[in-house]
Each structure stands twice: as structure tokens, then as C-alpha cells.
């Protein structure tokens, strides 16, 4: 374990820190870490003396942004530095500078990386304790649920800053989008998308002074995070509006041209679905999943055929059992399509637009 720790680089991004940063550095050096990289994310002249003091401690290097660029950029700066200046390092471990990661937990994550050198190791806190601030507990519960349903990623602590990353994956980490807190969210999404294995290690849940030292803005930074996540669902929602609008127009026109019956619904469903699916496929491929080989369109339309048959069949059945006019049929279709959407999204993510694993 000691030899492995010697080959690890500890990355501590920090913006306008207090004396806790020095406590973090001292505890790391006492446990045998010999390469600690601090990133001053443009805190300004008032905080420069603290970084200068830290730089005098053994094994500490300080990288500086001339202005605040965000935690994601700070991590990327350190990753690029390690690739260039520490090519022999076996991996890096990211640690927050507010002394909320216990050094023994940092060592535990390093130990797990030594056992599984191809995995990304995530420190996972327990959020059920009453000592956890409400904004952190609520934010994690909400994000964890969204991750599991929308993205198919089961992670206990979606906001963890304690992560051990193998050295050979640092290049991939630099390719991930994001400059602020959303970068850490995007990293978790990319683990799933790229087939990078990960494992969680239980760690202590430490919040000092109600987490006042955190620069995480619950409103602004949550918008950045969820903007990325809900982009997955946005194109399907837009496609559903197009589909429903065209279905209503078609079913209304057909009601004047031919007798009521199943063929009205079939033709209206077919026309609406063809137009909305062309829109949906192109948006999903280019903007949402950003992947999909030559077979993706074949898979997509296989799924569309199944959805079309299920939608038309179920709408026809319910319209027969509960006779309704054009608006009633449209509402029935909306309900059916919401259920089908939930199933379709999972299939598109896991099969149609699945990225190639590394």
C-alpha cells in the first residue's frame, strides 16, 4: 500500500479557501502522500498567501488560474499537468479542500484502486443522518433518482468529490464536457456511456459549519447539472408534441372524409409518427446521445414499428371501450404514449444509441 500511495497524485481544487486547506495538506503528508497538487481557481490576491504557505510544505505543487473558471476546469488543469509532468503515476485521487474528506477514507479509496486498477473509485457518503444539511440530503436524493431512471446509473453519492482515477483514464477525463460542478456529473454519465467500470467505497459523512465553506450554489449549479441530464428527455418531449399535434390534425380531417373506425386512428398515428420520428432520431443521434453507428437507424425504426403498433392498438382498444371524440382520442393517446416513452427511452439508451465501450 505504501508503494502504491507513493505513485498516486492527490488533486485538491480550491476556490477562496480558508485554513482548512492547510489541514488537508498536512494530514495527507502525514499519511505518506508525496505528490499533492493544489489548484488555485482564481481566488484572487487575498488568498494567494495561503497557497504560498501551502507550497512550502513537502511534496506540494500549486497550479493557478488567473481568474475563476470553475471546479471542472480546475480538475482538468490538474489532469493535464499529471499527464505531462507525472507520466509514471498510477492514478490520481481528487479531494475537496474543505477538510470534509477524512484522510483514512482517502487511503481506503487508494487501496481499492490498487485492488481494481481499471476502475474509477467513488467515495460514497451516507445521507440519512440528521447531521447532513437539508440542501445536500435533498440534492443527493433527487439527483440519485434521476441518475437511476434517466441515465441507468446506480450511484449512492452523486455529489462526491472523493474519486480515485487510474492514470490511463486521465486522457478520457479531459474529453468530458463541463467547466464547473456539472463536470463531475458528466464524469459519472461518461462512466456508463463509455463502459468504464466503477466501484463505491463507503466513507464518513462530514459537514463542517453546515457546509458553509462550499461554493456550490444550489440553484445555479443544479440548473447546470440538470440541464445536462434532462437534455436526454427534451427531444422526446418535443417529438411527442409534434406527434400529438399532427395526430389531432389528421384525426380531425379524417373524421370529415371517412366513417369513424380503426383505420382513421391507424392512418393518423402513422403519419404523425413518421414525421415526429424523423425529427426525434436526428436530434437523439446528434444532440442527445451523441452516438449511434450505421445500424442505429435500423434499430430505431424497429423500435418505432413496435411503438406504432402498441400505440395504435391500445388507443383503438380504449377508444372502442370508451367512445370519445377527436379530443378524447388524443388524450387517450397522450396517456398511452407517456407509458411507451418511459419504455422507449430505456431501450434507446441501452440498445439503439449505446456507445461503444472502451
Amino acid at each position: 500500500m505504501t508503494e502504491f500511495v507513493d505513485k498516486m497524485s492527490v488533486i485538491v481544487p480550491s476556490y477562496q479557501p480558508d485554513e482548512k486547506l492547510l489541514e488537508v495538506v498536512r494530514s495527507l503528508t502525514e499519511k505518506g502522500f508525496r505528490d499533492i497538487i493544489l489548484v488555485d481557481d482564481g481566488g484572487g490576491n487575498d488568498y494567494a498567501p495561503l497557497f504560498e504557505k501551502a507550497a512550502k510544505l513537502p511534496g506540494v505543487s500549486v497550479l493557478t488560474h488567473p481568474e475563476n473558471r470553475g471546479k471542472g476546469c480546475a480538475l482538468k488543469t490538474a489532469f493535464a499537468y499529471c499527464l505531462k509532468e507525472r507520466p509514471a503515476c498510477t492514478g490520481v485521487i481528487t479531494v475537496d479542500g474543505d477538510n470534509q474528506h477524512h484522510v483514512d477514507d482517502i487511503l481506503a479509496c487508494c487501496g481499492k484502486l490498487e485492488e481494481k486498477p481499471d476502475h474509477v473509485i467513488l467515495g460514497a457518503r451516507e445521507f440519512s443522518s440528521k447531521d447532513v444539511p437539508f440542501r445536500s440530503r435533498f440534492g443527493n436524493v433527487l439527483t440519485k433518482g434521476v441518475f437511476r431512471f434517466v441515465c441507468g446509473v446506480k450511484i449512492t453519492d452523486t455529489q462526491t468529490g472523493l474519486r480515485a482515477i487510474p492514470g490511463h483514464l486521465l486522457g478520457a477525463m479531459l474529453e468530458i464536457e463541463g467547466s464547473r460542478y456539472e463536470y463531475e456529473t458528466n464524469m459519472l454519465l461518461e462512466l456508463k456511456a463509455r463502459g468504464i467500470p466503477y466501484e463505491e467505497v463507503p466513507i464518513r459523512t462530514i459537514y463542517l459549519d453546515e457546509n458553509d465553506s462550499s461554493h456550490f450554489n444550489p440553484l445555479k449549479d443544479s440548473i447546470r447539472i440538470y440541464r445536462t441530464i434532462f437534455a436526454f428527455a427534451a427531444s422526446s418531449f418535443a417529438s411527442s408534441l409534434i406527434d400529438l399535434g399532427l395526430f389531432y390534425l389528421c384525426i380531425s380531417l379524417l373524421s370529415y372524409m371517412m366513417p369513424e373506425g380503426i383505420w382513421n386512428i391507424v392512418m393518423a398515428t402513422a403519419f404523425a409518427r413518421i414525421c415526429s420520428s424523423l425529427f426525434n432520431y436526428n436530434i437523439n443521434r446528434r444532440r442527445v446521445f451523441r452516438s449511434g453507428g450505421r445500424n442505429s437507424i435500423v434499430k430505431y425504426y424497429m423500435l418505432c414499428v413496435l411503438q406504432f403498433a402498441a400505440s395504435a392498438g391500445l388507443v383503438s382498444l380504449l377508444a372502442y371501450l370508451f367512445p370519445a371524440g377527436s379530443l378524447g382520442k388524443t388524450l387517450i393517446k397522450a396517456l398511452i404514449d407517456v407509458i411507451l416513452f418511459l419504455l422507449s427511452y430505456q431501450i434507446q439508451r441501452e440498445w439503439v444509441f449505446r456507445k461503444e465501450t472502451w
Side-chain angles (χ1 to χ4, degrees), residues 72-257:
C73 281
L75 290 171
K76 290 180 183 179
T77 293
F79 293 160
Y81 176 83
C82 287
L83 282 172
K84 182 179 180 181
E85 303 294 337
R86 308 285 193 271
C89 80
T90 55
V92 303
I93 185 161
T94 64
V95 176
D96 291 343
D98 52 10
N99 208 23
Q100 294 188 18
H101 292 147
H102 196 282
V103 69
D104 289 340
D105 292 328
I106 296 170
L107 284 170
C109 289
C110 288
K112 183 60 67 173
L113 183 62
E114 185 176 18
E115 293 176 18
K116 300 188 175 183
D118 292 326
H119 287 57
V120 170
I121 308 301
L122 306 172
R125 297 164 294 179
E126 172 57 54
F127 284 85
S128 60
S129 171
K130 294 181 180 179
D131 296 332
V132 178
F134 173 78
R135 67 172 182 173
S136 297
R137 183 166 60 251
F138 175 78
N140 186 75
V141 169
L142 181 61
T143 308
K144 181 169 64 175
V146 172
F147 260 62
R148 186 162 187 178
F149 174 74
V150 179
C151 310
V153 180
K154 185 179 179 181
I155 291 178
T156 303
D157 184 356
T158 59
Q159 301 170 24
T160 181
L162 180 56
R163 308 178 182 197
I165 304 169
H168 69 272
L169 290 179
L170 292 181
M173 297 298 109
L174 289 173
E175 296 174 359
I176 297 173
E177 295 181 356
S179 60
R180 297 187 180 274
Y181 283 101
E182 81 278 8
Y183 172 75
E184 292 184 306
T185 303
N186 292 346
M187 184 190 296
L188 299 180
L189 295 175
E190 285 298 308
L191 297 183
K192 167 74 174 181
R194 298 177 185 237
I196 298 172
Y198 63 89
E199 183 159 332
E200 294 185 300
V201 172
I203 64 173
R204 296 165 178 80
T205 305
I206 302 173
Y207 283 103
L208 305 175
D209 303 321
E210 286 293 308
N211 207 24
D212 286 340
S213 62
S214 173
H215 294 284
F216 182 86
N217 184 303
L219 177 61
K220 183 172 63 175
D221 291 302
S222 291
I223 289 173
R224 289 193 180 101
I225 290 171
Y226 289 113
R227 180 177 58 194
T228 301
I229 294 175
F230 286 115
F232 288 147
S235 74
S236 293
F237 178 72
S239 301
S240 296
L241 293 180
I242 294 171
D243 190 59
L244 287 172
L246 291 175
F247 176 84
Y248 177 74
L249 290 175
C250 289
I251 203 73
S252 299
L253 289 173
L254 290 171
S255 66
Y256 291 104
M257 299 171 58

